[in-house]
């Protein structure tokens, strides 16, 4: 079956002219049909009162963007205030800020790398600038793979310096235009399409090669397109429409076809000073600190008296022991949030089935899943009453991470990989489902594909969360969502619109592509007697004990 191409629009500097842009997009879509996404490079926000007033209409929901719109960050100090978080977030319905730099992979497999702002001239870098460390952190995970061929799209605010070598000259001052670091990045990432703005000019460079003829195997060509500002008086082109089939699903022979007007690679031109380029772009080797990633792991977490007997103590006893353990540290309130009515999962609740409990920490506990997919299917739950991951306080998040880490090691010892999912929909207490999948059953990529494909079949658009994006930025508290975390660290997200199949996570993992146990998709069909559950819990408790951090003194 032939792969359907994605229909994409790219736009230059919007500078706050949102109505003009979206009216133009609507007119195009009315004439030619719906596009899949709009990518905005350059400066998205304006600094005039009129621009601010227009933005407020979209921010408050009075107006809605007619297409999924992805934007880069600030390219000047004046617009930094419009971006509440450096690591990407949804700014308004259908308008998503990608982040300072990273890689975004859509449901189709389309891979978009991006870098916001100008190249920094000093350290520490201003908020609207990127550094060599940013480029190293973006490039290394991609190019270190032996299977890396390139990215589908690269979005940068600045032009790459020297892109005009071997080609038509742009209408810009080439002595001052562009960044050496962006040129070096483009050379290494080999984008099929590279978009940039900021120069107020429209420039479509001839396509260029990514290989040396007769010395290297043929590779795909790259196209660089710079776009002007929206509604510019000179009527220079600011919107560019194109169709693209993601590289990973494309026929390799089609991918490497060379157009007649292809040129040599401008970034390997012998006339320019390459030494400076390499040094500027990739001299740094440091990685981002761990606390840049999904959860903040920078705070130390104390324990209490450990062991299975803990669950027989009252919550008050546990608080007393924990406060003794934390002497010398500032006292923190230990009272867990309480539900307004009966809850099956609050540990202090009479409704909770305590025989299923495997381990109890200070803020979270581990329980055997009732009617689990496999014998080692467990739940990580907060002791207090929280509805979802995005509602959790930092100390609860930290302990949840410790449980995740312990479970990954435990499953690894059993020859299994770990898949986590959460459904924040028609549920009142957070249940983080943790399901082990035997390593010999399928690869992580197969599991990811199973979620993507089965979501598509149900007309749900599941997206991959950009690497440095916190779930709280994408789903503010109260937002219904479905979320998956794979053992590779990749995270998938679906914002639930109206209806959502309650057993979706189980159905995907039970499917032929993953565990191949379709009859166990519904937990009600897998129920055990209380005696069987007690036996299963005891077995799992004993097996997990060597990995249970709550036993550490």
């Amino acid at each position: 079956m032939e792969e359907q191409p994605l229909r994409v629009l790219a736009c230059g500097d919007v500078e706050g002219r949102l109505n003009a842009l979206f009216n133009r997009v609507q007119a195009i879509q009315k004439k030619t049909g719906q596009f899949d996404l709009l990518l905005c490079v350059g400066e998205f926000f304006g600094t005039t009162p009129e621009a601010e007033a227009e933005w407020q209409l979209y921010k408050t929901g009075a107006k809605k963007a007619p297409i999924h719109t992805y934007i880069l960050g600030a390219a000047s100090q004046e617009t930094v205030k419009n971006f509440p978080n450096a690591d990407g977030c949804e700014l308004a319905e259908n308008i998503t800020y990608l982040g300072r730099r990273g890689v975004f992979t859509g449901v189709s497999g389309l891979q978009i790398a991006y870098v916001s702002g100008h190249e920094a001239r000093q350290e520490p870098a201003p908020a609207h600038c990127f550094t060599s460390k940013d480029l190293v952190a973006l490039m290394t995970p991609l190019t270190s793979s032996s299977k890396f061929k390139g990215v589908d799209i690269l979005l940068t605010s600045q032009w790459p310096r020297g892109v005009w070598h071997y080609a038509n000259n742009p209408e810009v001052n080439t002595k001052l235009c562009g960044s050496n670091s962006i040129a070096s990045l483009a050379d290494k990432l080999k984008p099929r399409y590279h978009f940039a703005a900021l120069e107020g000019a429209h420039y479509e460079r001839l396509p260029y090669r990514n290989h040396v003829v007769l010395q290297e195997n043929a590779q795909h060509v790259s196209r660089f397109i710079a776009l002007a500002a929206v509604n510019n008086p000179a009527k220079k082109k600011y919107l560019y429409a194109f169709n693209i089939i993601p590289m990973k699903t494309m026929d390799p022979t089609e991918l490497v076809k060379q157009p007649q007007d292809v040129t040599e690679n401008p970034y390997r031109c012998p006339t320019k000073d390459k030494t400076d380029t390499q040094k500027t772009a990739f001299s740094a080797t440091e990685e981002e600190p761990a606390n840049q990633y999904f959860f903040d792991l920078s705070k130390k977490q104390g324990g209490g008296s450990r062991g299975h007997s803990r669950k027989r103590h009252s919550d008050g006893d546990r608080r007393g022991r924990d406060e003794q353990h934390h002497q010398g540290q500032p006292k923190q309130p230990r009272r867990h949030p309480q539900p307004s009515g009966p809850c099956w999962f609050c540990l202090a609740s009479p409704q909770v089935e305590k025989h299923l409990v495997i381990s109890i920490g200070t803020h979270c506990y581990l329980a055997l899943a009732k009617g689990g997919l496999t014998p080692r299917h467990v739940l990580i739950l907060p002791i207090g009453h929280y509805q979802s991951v995005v509602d959790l306080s930092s100390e609860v998040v930290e302990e949840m991470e410790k449980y995740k880490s312990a479970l990954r090691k435990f499953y690894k010892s059993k020859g299994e990989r770990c898949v986590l999912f959460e459904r924040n929909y028609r549920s009142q207490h957070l249940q983080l489902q943790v399901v082990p999948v035997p390593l010999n059953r399928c690869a992580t990529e197969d599991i990811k594909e199973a979620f993507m494909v089965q979501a598509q079949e149900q007309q749900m658009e599941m997206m991959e969360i950009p690497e440095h994006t916190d779930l709280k930025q994408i789903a503010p508290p109260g937002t219904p969502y479905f979320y998956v975390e794979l053992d590779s660290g990749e995270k998938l997200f679906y914002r639930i619109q109206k209806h959502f199949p309650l057993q979706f996570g189980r159905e995907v993992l039970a499917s032929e592509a993953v565990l191949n146990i379709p009859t166990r998709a519904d937990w009600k069909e897998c129920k055990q007697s209380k005696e069987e559950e007690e036996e299963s819990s005891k077995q799992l408790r004993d097996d997990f004990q060597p990995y249970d951090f709550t036993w550490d003194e």
Side-chain angles (χ1 to χ4, degrees):
M1 192 174 91
E2 192 166 318
E3 185 76 27
Q4 283 299 307
L6 284 161
R7 304 185 73 218
V8 183
L9 285 168
C11 177
D13 305 89
V14 180
E15 295 176 340
R17 301 182 194 96
L18 277 72
N19 291 337
L21 168 63
F22 291 136
N23 288 342
R24 178 82 183 111
V25 169
Q26 276 185 306
I28 292 169
Q29 294 195 134
K30 193 173 179 182
K31 192 174 176 182
T32 65
Q34 187 73 23
F35 279 75
D36 295 289
L37 63 159
L38 167 65
L39 307 172
C40 296
V41 289
E43 196 77 87
F44 184 77
F45 290 100
T47 53
T48 64
E50 294 82 3
E52 181 59 26
E54 274 191 41
W55 168 238
Q56 285 305 317
L57 293 173
Y58 292 89
K59 189 177 179 182
T60 59
K63 285 194 172 184
K64 178 184 168 182
I67 184 172
H68 290 299
T69 305
Y70 296 90
I71 72 171
L72 291 183
S76 64
Q77 191 59 50
E78 292 76 28
T79 58
V80 167
K81 66 179 189 295
N82 297 105
F83 299 90
N85 187 290
D87 294 330
C89 57
E90 187 175 81
L91 299 175
E93 190 173 357
N94 265 2
I95 301 176
T96 301
Y97 163 46
L98 288 165
R100 278 179 57 218
R101 47 90 180 152
V103 180
F104 177 80
T105 306
V107 63
S108 60
L110 187 76
Q111 197 172 47
I112 303 170
Y114 54 89
V115 179
S116 298
H118 287 267
E119 185 175 357
R121 296 293 173 205
Q122 79 268 4
E123 290 275 5
H128 64 283
C129 294
F130 63 84
T131 66
S132 58
K133 289 180 189 174
D134 287 315
L135 301 189
V136 169
L138 169 60
M139 181 200 73
T140 306
L142 292 168
T143 57
S144 57
S145 166
S146 58
K147 293 180 182 175
F148 179 73
K149 294 178 185 173
V151 296
D152 290 303
I153 298 170
L154 174 62
L155 307 176
T156 60
S157 303
Q158 275 188 292
W159 288 31
R161 184 152 180 75
V163 68
W164 45 84
H165 289 302
Y166 300 127
N168 43 323
N169 274 326
E171 295 176 344
V172 297
N173 183 344
T174 54
K175 289 195 172 109
L176 302 173
C177 174
S179 154
N180 281 333
S181 294
I182 294 295
S184 191
L185 182 74
D187 184 25
K188 288 173 170 60
L189 292 189
K190 303 175 187 175
R192 292 162 68 198
Y193 286 88
H194 179 179
F195 295 96
L198 296 184
E199 296 292 339
H202 165 237
Y203 174 60
E204 288 186 43
R205 191 203 184 281
L206 293 169
Y208 62 85
R209 293 187 191 95
N210 284 300
H211 66 280
V212 179
V213 178
L214 301 178
Q215 291 181 38
E216 296 174 315
N217 291 333
Q219 296 180 44
H220 61 272
V221 301
S222 292
R223 290 174 166 83
F224 173 76
I225 297 109
L227 293 160
V230 170
N231 263 15
N232 65 86
K235 298 198 182 310
K236 294 176 184 175
K237 186 170 178 175
Y238 65 85
L239 266 180
Y240 181 92
F242 64 109
N243 292 347
I244 186 168
I245 295 173
M247 192 184 296
K248 64 183 289 186
T249 58
M250 204 171 168
D251 183 321
T253 53
E254 284 294 314
L255 180 65
V256 301
K257 278 188 176 174
Q258 307 289 302
Q260 285 189 327
D261 55 353
V262 68
T263 77
E264 291 300 323
N265 188 315
Y267 311 125
R268 300 173 196 174
C269 176
T271 58
K272 62 196 268 277
D273 181 5
K274 296 183 85 172
T275 316
D276 181 57
T277 304
Q278 300 295 336
K279 194 171 152 191
T280 311
F282 301 117
S283 54
T285 55
E286 301 96 320
E287 289 295 328
E288 286 291 316
N291 62 9
Q292 289 286 313
Y293 293 85
F294 187 48
F295 287 117
D296 181 6
L297 305 178
S298 59
K299 295 191 183 88
K300 266 288 188 197
Q301 173 67 48
S305 161
R306 302 300 183 191
H308 293 280
S309 60
R310 290 195 60 181
K311 65 177 179 297
R312 290 194 284 272
H313 289 282
S314 73
D315 201 39
D317 291 339
R318 185 184 303 111
R319 281 202 297 275
R321 286 201 316 278
D322 286 334
E323 280 162 13
Q324 286 168 15
H325 184 85
H326 283 274
Q327 279 175 0
Q329 298 181 20
K331 283 191 179 180
Q332 294 183 350
R334 285 285 171 212
R335 182 148 178 80
H336 298 294
Q338 300 300 308
S340 54
C343 177
W344 287 97
F345 298 104
C346 284
L347 194 57
S349 165
Q351 284 87 10
V352 76
E353 298 194 58
K354 291 189 168 62
H355 67 280
L356 296 173
V357 174
I358 304 300
S359 165
I360 303 176
T362 308
H363 305 284
C364 301
Y365 72 101
L366 201 63
L368 184 71
K370 201 170 180 68
L373 274 166
T374 71
R376 288 186 281 273
H377 176 177
V378 296
L379 309 178
I380 307 175
L381 306 110
I383 290 169
H385 192 74
Y386 294 93
Q387 185 172 326
S388 70
V389 163
V390 298
D391 295 308
L392 297 178
S393 59
S394 59
E395 63 267 24
V396 185
V397 165
E398 185 174 339
E399 190 167 270
M400 195 164 270
E401 278 295 294
K402 289 172 85 171
Y403 269 121
K404 284 190 201 175
S405 178
L407 284 166
R408 287 190 190 103
K409 290 173 187 167
F410 171 54
Y411 291 144
K412 189 176 180 183
S413 74
K414 302 286 186 185
E416 295 165 328
R417 58 169 49 89
C418 182
V419 181
L420 301 96
F421 68 90
E422 180 201 357
R423 186 196 78 229
N424 181 29
Y425 172 73
R426 289 178 60 182
S427 60
Q428 56 163 329
H429 190 115
L430 163 62
Q431 304 157 56
L432 192 60
Q433 307 265 351
V434 192
V435 182
V437 177
L439 295 170
N440 58 10
R441 270 294 312 152
C442 57
T444 304
E445 194 61 35
D446 299 322
I447 301 170
K448 179 180 173 183
E449 189 179 353
F451 275 104
M452 293 289 206
V453 168
Q454 292 190 47
Q456 265 185 320
E457 285 172 359
Q458 304 205 37
Q459 281 76 53
M460 299 187 299
E461 187 183 354
M462 187 165 274
M463 65 182 238
E464 188 167 346
I465 300 178
E467 186 180 0
H468 296 283
T469 303
D470 192 313
L471 190 59
K472 289 183 182 183
Q473 299 298 328
I474 291 179
T479 307
Y481 64 83
F482 178 77
Y483 164 77
V484 183
E485 192 173 326
L486 302 169
D487 65 318
S488 58
E490 294 169 287
K491 306 174 193 89
L492 311 176
F493 173 85
Y494 171 65
R495 181 193 283 264
I496 296 171
Q497 309 294 339
K498 289 180 183 172
H499 304 295
F500 183 77
L502 297 182
Q503 303 287 348
F504 179 70
R506 285 185 66 116
E507 285 166 0
V508 173
L509 293 176
S511 68
E512 190 178 347
V514 188
L515 288 167
N516 195 19
I517 44 172
T519 56
R520 298 189 69 83
D522 186 345
W523 72 273
K524 292 172 190 160
E525 302 297 319
C526 310
K527 281 203 282 193
Q528 296 176 296
S529 68
K530 187 173 180 182
E531 291 71 27
E532 288 172 324
E533 287 177 342
E534 285 174 341
E535 184 55 42
S536 299
S537 298
K538 182 182 182 304
Q539 179 66 55
L540 186 54
R541 216 174 283 130
D542 292 342
D543 284 357
F544 181 63
Q545 187 203 316
Y547 303 89
D548 188 350
F549 62 88
T550 69
W551 279 73
D552 302 335
E553 289 298 326

